[in-house]
C-alpha cells in the first residue's frame, strides 16, 4: 500500500529504487584494562590508526575533487587534532586500549560541544564518522560506507558524512535519504554538486525495510513508499518534462519577458570552475576563499599561493563577474593563527570580518593578492566581507580595500539581521549587498544550520526571512545598487522566482542547480514573480508560503 513521508528536499530530481542501508562500523569497543607496560604500544597503534584514517580521507578528497576535496581535507584535520590525540594518549596511559581510548576521547569532545550549544555541534556527523573510521581500523572491522551492490538503489542512512557523500557513484546510488541533517549541511551541499536527488531530516527513515521500493522527490522532500504504478508514471513524466525544459533553456538568466537575472556559481576554488562553466554560469557570485586557508591551520597561505588560486578562477570568466568573499574563519572553520580557542559560542563570537579586523595583516595580504591576481585580466572583480553587522563594519572593510589599492567593487554580506534592517546605512559605505541566506536564517531564528531537529526554521521559505530579503533588496534599489543572493535559497527554482520578485538582482548557487533555475525563471514574467513574492510574504509559515507562491505561478 502506497504511503507518503515528508522530509526536507535538498537536491533536485526524482529517484525510484529499492532501499539499501548504510553500513556502519562497530561503534563501541569493549572496555577492558591493559597492563601498564602495554600503554606505549597501544598509544602507537592509536597514532598509526589516526594517521591512516587522515591519509584515507585526503585520498578520497583527491579522487572527488572540487568542494568535496576541501570538506574531506578539513575532516582529516579533525582526525589529527592534537588536543584529541593528547586525550586519547592520556586515557591509554591509565589503562584503556587504543580503540577504547579513541572512543571515549571522541565521546567526551562530542558531549562537550553538545552541552555548550556551540556552533561546532553542527559537525557532529563528521566527528562521529572520523571516530568510527579510527575505531574500525583498530578493531580490524570494515569501515563504515555505502553498501556493495551491482544494482542501482536508494541509500538510507541516519546521516551521511562527507567522506561517504563525496564518492557516491550516481550510476549506482540513485538518491539518498537521511534521518538527520539539514538543508545546508555538508552532505546536502555535496549532493547538489553531484546532482543526486536527496531528502534529509526524515524521522524514521531507518525503519524502511531493506529492499523496499521507494520514490524520492528531492525537490518537494516527499518519499513515496511502495508507490503505485500511477504514481511512478506521474513522477517519471514530471522528471522527463523537467529534463526537457533544462535542455531547452540556454543563455543568460531572465524571466519570460526579458528581465535579466544573472545566474552565477558558488565555488570553493579552481577545481569547481569547470562544472560552473559547463552549466553556463555567467560568473561567480560566491568564491569561498577559506578552503585555501584550511590547508594549514597554523599559518596563512603565502601571497604567492593566494595569487595563483585566485587568478585560476578569475581567468575562467573573461568579461564575467567574480565576487570573492574574503576569509570567513571562526565558528565551524577555526584557524589556530586567527580565531580564539576558548570562545563559549564561536558562532556568536569573533568570526568572519571580526577576525580579519583583529588581524589586519591577514586581510591586507589577501586583498593585495586579489589585486595582483586580477591584473591584466578582463574580469569584473568584486570583493565582499562576511558577517557585516553595521555601517562601521562596512566602512572598516571598504577602508582596508582602498588602503590595499584594490581596483574592485567592495560589498557586504547580509548574514546578520541587523545588516538587513539597516541595509541603507550599510550601503553608504559599500557598492553592493549579497545575502547569505544560510547564516541569515540561522541568526534570525536562533536555529543551528546543521541541526536536523530545527530544520523547519532553516527553511528559506520562512516569511520572516523573505521579509529581510525584501528589506535588503528595497534598500539597494533605493540607493541604485545591486543586491544578490548567494545562499542555498537561490538553488530552489521556485524560490528563485520569488527572490526575483522581491527585487534581488542576481542569484548564485551550486553549478548543478543553474539549469533548473534558468529553465524555471524563463517560464514566468517579472510581474508573476512579484505577485508570487507578495503571496509568499503574506503567509504565516514556510509551507504556506511555498504553496501560495506555487498557486500564483501555476495560475490557480
Amino acid at each position: 500500500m502506497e504511503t507518503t513521508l515528508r522530509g526536507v528536499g535538498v537536491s533536485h530530481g526524482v529517484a525510484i529504487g529499492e532501499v539499501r542501508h548504510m553500513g556502519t562500523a562497530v561503534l563501541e569497543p569493549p572496555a577492558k584494562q591493559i597492563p601498564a607496560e602495554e600503554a606505549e604500544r597501544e598509544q602507537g597503534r592509536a597514532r598509526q590508526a589516526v594517521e591512516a584514517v587522515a591519509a584515507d580521507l585526503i585520498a578520497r578528497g583527491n579522487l572527488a575533487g572540487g568542494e568535496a576535496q576541501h570538506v574531506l581535507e578539513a575532516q582529516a584535520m579533525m582526525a589529527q587534532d592534537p588536543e584529541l590525540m593528547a586525550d586519547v594518549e592520556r586515557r591509554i596511559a591509565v589503562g584503556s586500549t587504543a580503540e577504547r581510548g579513541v572512543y571515549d576521547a571522541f565521546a567526551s569532545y562530542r558531549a562537550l560541544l553538545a552541552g555548550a550549544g556551540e556552533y561546532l555541534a553542527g559537525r557532529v556527523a563528521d566527528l562521529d564518522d572520523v571516530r568510527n573510521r579510527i575505531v574500525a581500523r583498530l578493531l580490524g572491522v570494515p569501515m563504515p560506507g555505502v553498501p556493495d551492490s551491482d544494482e542501482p538503489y536508494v541509500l538510507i542512512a541516519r546521516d551521511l558524512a562527507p567522506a561517504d557523500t563525496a564518492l557516491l557513484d550516481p550510476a549506482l546510488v540513485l538518491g539518498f535519504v537521511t534521518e538527520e541533517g539539514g538543508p545546508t549541511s555538508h552532505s546536502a551541499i555535496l549532493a547538489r554538486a553531484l546532482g543526486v536527488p536527496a531528502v534529509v531530516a526524515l524521522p524514521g527513515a531507518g525503519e524502511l525495510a531493506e529492499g523496499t521500493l521507494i520514490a524520492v522527490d528531492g525537490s518537494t522532500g516527499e518519499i513515496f513508499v511502495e508507490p503505485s504504478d500511477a504514481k511512478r508514471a506521474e513522477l517519471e513524466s514530471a522528471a522527463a518534462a523537467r529534463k526537457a525544459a533544462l535542455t531547452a533553456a540556454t543563455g543568460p538568466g531572465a524571466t519570460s519577458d526579458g528581465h535579466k537575472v544573472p545566474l552565477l556559481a558558488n565555488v570553493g576554488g579552481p577545481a569547481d570552475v569547470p562544472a560552473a562553466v559547463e552549466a553556463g554560469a555567467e560568473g561567480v557570485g560566491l568564491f569561498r576563499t577559506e578552503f585555501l586557508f584550511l590547508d594549514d591551520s597554523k599559518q596563512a597561505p603565502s601571497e604567492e599561493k593566494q595569487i595563483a588560486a585566485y587568478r585560476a578562477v578569475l581567468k575562467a570568466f573573461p568579461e564575467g563577474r567574480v565576487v570573492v568573499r574574503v576569509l570567513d574563519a571562526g565558528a565551524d572553520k577555526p584557524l589556530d593563527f586567527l580565531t580564539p580557542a576558548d570562545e563559549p559560542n564561536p558562532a556568536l563570537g569573533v568570526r568572519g570580518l571580526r577576525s580579519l579586523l583583529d588581524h589586519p595583516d591577514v586581510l591586507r595580504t589577501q586583498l593585495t593578492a586579489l589585486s595582483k591576481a586580477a591584473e591584466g585580466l578582463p574580469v569584473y572583480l568584486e570583493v565582499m566581507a562576511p558577517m557585516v553587522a553595521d555601517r562601521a563594519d562596512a566602512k572598516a572593510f571598504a577602508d582596508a580595500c582602498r588602503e590595499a589599492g584594490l581596483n574592485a567593487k567592495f560589498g557586504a554580506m547580509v548574514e546578520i539581521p541587523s545588516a538587513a534592517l539597516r541595509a541603507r546605512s550599510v550601503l553608504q559605505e559599500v557598492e553592493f549587498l549579497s545575502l547569505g541566506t544560510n547564516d541569515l536564517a540561522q541568526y534570525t531564528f536562533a536555529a543551528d544550520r546543521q541541526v536536523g531537529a530545527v530544520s523547519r526554521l532553516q527553511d528559506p521559505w520562512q516569511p520572516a526571512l523573505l521579509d529581510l530579503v525584501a528589506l535588503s533588496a528595497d534598500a539597494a534599489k533605493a540607493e541604485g545598487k545591486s543586491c544578490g543572493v548567494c545562499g542555498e535559497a537561490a538553488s530552489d527554482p521556485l524560490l528563485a522566482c520569488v527572490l526575483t520578485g522581491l527585487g534581488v538582482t542576481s542569484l548564485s548557487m551550486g553549478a548543478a542547480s543553474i539549469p533548473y533555475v534558468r529553465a524555471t525563471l524563463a517560464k514566468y514574467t517579472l510581474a508573476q514573480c512579484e505577485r508570487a513574492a507578495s503571496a509568499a510574504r503574506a503567509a504565516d509559515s514556510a509551507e504556506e508560503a511555498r504553496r501560495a507562491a506555487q498557486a500564483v505561478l501555476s495560475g490557480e
Side-chain angles (χ1 to χ4, degrees):
M1 179 179 176
E2 179 181 313
T3 57
T4 304
L5 307 174
R6 182 181 290 277
V8 178
V10 296
S11 185
H12 305 301
V14 171
I16 302 175
E18 293 186 356
V19 163
R20 295 287 183 274
H21 287 270
M22 170 69 75
T24 58
V26 175
L27 296 183
E28 185 169 1
K32 63 179 182 180
Q33 289 292 108
I34 61 169
E37 60 268 21
E38 292 183 16
E40 187 173 345
R41 179 179 66 84
E42 289 294 289
Q43 289 172 339
R45 287 182 64 228
R47 286 192 295 270
Q48 289 174 2
V50 165
E51 291 305 317
V53 166
D56 177 64
L57 290 168
I58 291 171
R60 284 169 174 262
N62 291 336
L63 283 172
E67 188 162 349
Q69 181 174 3
H70 305 308
V71 172
L72 291 174
E73 287 173 351
Q75 201 178 14
M77 289 173 58
M78 183 184 291
Q80 297 170 305
D81 183 279
E83 291 187 13
L84 261 175
M85 195 63 232
D87 190 17
V88 170
E89 294 188 342
R90 281 194 297 270
R91 292 173 187 273
I92 294 172
V94 295
S96 287
T97 61
E99 47 267 36
R100 189 71 204 192
V102 168
Y103 181 85
D104 289 341
F106 272 75
S108 177
Y109 187 46
R110 190 184 199 276
L112 177 67
L113 293 178
E118 295 188 10
Y119 186 81
L120 280 174
R123 293 290 177 254
V124 161
D126 299 20
L127 185 69
D128 288 348
D129 182 61
V130 171
R131 177 202 64 199
N132 289 351
R133 290 175 185 278
I134 297 170
V135 171
R137 188 172 188 89
L138 287 165
L139 291 174
V141 301
M143 290 284 181
V146 297
D148 290 329
S149 176
D150 295 328
E151 297 297 324
Y153 58 88
V154 176
L155 181 63
I156 306 293
R158 182 166 176 266
D159 204 344
L160 281 170
D164 300 314
T165 318
L167 295 183
L168 289 179
D169 181 355
L172 284 177
V173 183
L174 302 172
F176 66 75
V177 181
T178 66
E179 290 193 52
E180 299 184 355
T184 59
S185 65
H186 275 157
S187 291
I189 293 170
L190 292 175
R192 285 188 284 270
L194 289 166
V196 177
V199 172
V200 301
L202 178 69
E207 297 172 11
L208 291 168
E210 189 87 358
T212 303
L213 182 69
I214 65 172
V216 179
D217 190 329
S219 300
T220 65
E222 292 175 304
I223 307 294
F224 302 96
V225 182
E226 299 290 0
S228 64
D229 290 343
K231 174 58 71 175
R232 291 184 64 177
E234 176 189 332
L235 291 170
E236 288 168 349
S237 175
R242 191 179 296 151
K243 185 175 181 180
L246 294 181
T247 303
T250 58
T255 58
S256 62
D257 55 341
H259 175 73
K260 293 182 179 179
V261 187
L263 303 181
L264 312 171
N266 295 343
V267 304
D272 293 337
V273 167
V277 173
E278 184 179 351
E282 297 167 59
V284 172
L286 173 61
F287 179 3
R288 302 181 180 95
T289 60
E290 60 268 20
F291 291 119
L292 186 63
F293 288 76
L294 289 172
D295 287 345
D296 184 353
S297 68
K298 305 297 182 184
Q299 61 183 359
S302 67
E303 182 179 303
E304 292 72 23
K305 183 176 181 180
Q306 291 189 54
I307 291 171
Y310 303 150
R311 193 170 179 85
V313 175
L314 296 176
K315 286 172 65 176
F317 295 95
E319 304 299 333
R321 176 186 179 199
V322 176
V323 184
V324 179
R325 179 177 70 189
V326 294
L327 176 61
D328 183 15
D332 66 331
K333 300 182 287 278
L335 294 171
D336 293 346
F337 67 89
L338 194 67
T339 49
D342 56 352
E343 287 188 300
N345 192 338
L348 302 179
V350 182
R351 65 167 291 199
L353 180 62
R354 298 168 186 174
S355 293
L356 293 174
L357 295 178
D358 281 351
H359 297 80
D361 54 323
V362 176
L363 177 58
R364 187 181 310 110
T365 299
Q366 185 171 25
L367 294 174
T368 301
L370 283 165
S371 180
K372 292 180 179 179
E375 286 178 0
L377 295 180
V379 66
Y380 298 97
L381 175 63
E382 301 185 10
V383 182
M384 61 186 181
M387 302 302 294
V388 169
D390 55 16
R391 182 173 180 173
D393 278 352
K395 183 178 187 304
F397 178 66
D399 287 347
C401 289
R402 282 187 284 266
E403 289 170 10
L406 188 62
N407 182 24
K409 285 187 176 181
F410 318 142
M413 290 197 71
V414 177
E415 301 165 284
I416 302 173
S418 62
L421 294 168
R422 300 286 295 171
R424 288 198 71 169
S425 174
V426 170
L427 283 165
Q428 303 310 303
E429 305 294 341
V430 294
E431 299 172 79
F432 69 93
L433 300 177
S434 184
L435 288 142
T437 52
N438 304 348
D439 269 322
L440 185 58
Q442 171 173 254
Y443 291 125
T444 299
F445 297 102
D448 191 311
R449 55 188 281 191
Q450 301 296 330
V451 177
V454 293
S455 61
R456 78 171 185 86
L457 297 172
Q458 272 294 325
D459 193 326
W461 281 93
Q462 286 284 356
L465 188 65
L466 299 181
D467 287 344
L468 293 176
V469 173
L471 279 173
S472 303
D474 288 346
K477 183 177 181 180
E479 294 295 328
K481 296 179 179 180
S482 63
C483 176
V485 167
C486 65
E488 292 301 312
S491 65
D492 179 336
L494 182 62
L495 185 51
C497 295
V498 168
L499 295 172
T500 298
L502 292 174
V504 167
T505 56
S506 67
L507 299 166
S508 189
M509 65 208 76
S513 298
I514 291 175
Y516 290 93
V517 173
R518 181 190 291 119
T520 305
L521 270 177
K523 292 165 57 178
Y524 305 109
T525 65
L526 176 60
Q528 285 176 299
C529 293
E530 290 172 340
R531 288 197 295 274
S534 295
R537 288 184 68 191
D540 291 320
S541 71
E543 186 56 38
E544 288 177 14
R546 187 182 288 105
R547 285 201 301 266
Q550 182 66 70
V552 169
L553 294 178
S554 62
E556 296 178 8

